[in-house]
Amino acid sequence: QVQLVESGGGLVQAGGSLRLSCAASGRTFSAYVMGWFRQAPGKEREFVARISWGGGSTVYADSVKGRFTISRDNAKNTVYLQTNSLKPEDTAVYYCAASRIMTISPQQYPYWGQGTQVTVSS
């Protein structure tokens, strides 16, 4: 089992950047595929990015491709989401999640953090 805690959210103007972090407990962090998801008010939770166990494979949603970068440091049990060129439509609660399998489906991620709010003003 793994416990996840996100940080780094906040209020930023359009065009700005934020670096989100997700710290994981436990000694088996490298055994998990890590994903970032987001949920805006009144909308379903959507996939943002995921990274493989060792970090060699990444996948992004089309809406963030070229602007966001997911990375991980297995020595620090942490996954990051660098968000650049932020747009008002990126406003949402951002969640990190862990799965044993390579997937972008939120239903297949059993472990979730509590979320961190990102608000982008126009």
Side-chain angles (χ1 to χ4, degrees):
Q1 190 167 354
V2 61
Q3 294 182 329
L4 305 170
V5 179
E6 301 96 335
S7 61
L11 173 63
V12 63
Q13 289 187 333
S17 300
L18 286 172
R19 189 193 196 200
L20 308 184
S21 299
C22 173
S25 65
R27 294 178 292 178
T28 59
F29 178 68
S30 60
Y32 293 93
V33 172
M34 298 301 297
W36 283 96
F37 298 81
R38 66 187 182 186
Q39 188 166 19
K43 295 188 176 181
E44 293 187 354
R45 191 168 298 187
E46 65 173 359
F47 166 77
V48 174
R50 74 104 179 101
I51 189 166
S52 60
W53 304 271
S57 170
T58 57
V59 173
Y60 297 91
D62 288 343
S63 59
V64 307
K65 201 172 294 183
R67 301 187 297 122
F68 290 10
T69 302
I70 187 172
S71 61
R72 67 189 296 164
D73 186 338
N74 286 345
K76 295 182 178 180
N77 282 12
T78 303
V79 62
Y80 305 97
L81 186 69
Q82 178 67 43
T83 66
N84 298 329
S85 302
L86 284 162
K87 305 174 182 180
E89 51 264 43
D90 293 318
T91 295
V93 178
Y94 283 70
Y95 299 89
C96 70
S99 174
R100 290 283 193 175
I101 62 174
M102 194 86 79
T103 178
I104 65 170
S105 171
Q107 289 78 15
Q108 294 181 302
Y109 282 79
Y111 306 110
W112 292 82
Q114 82 289 349
T116 186
Q117 176 71 48
V118 171
T119 303
V120 185
S121 63
S122 57

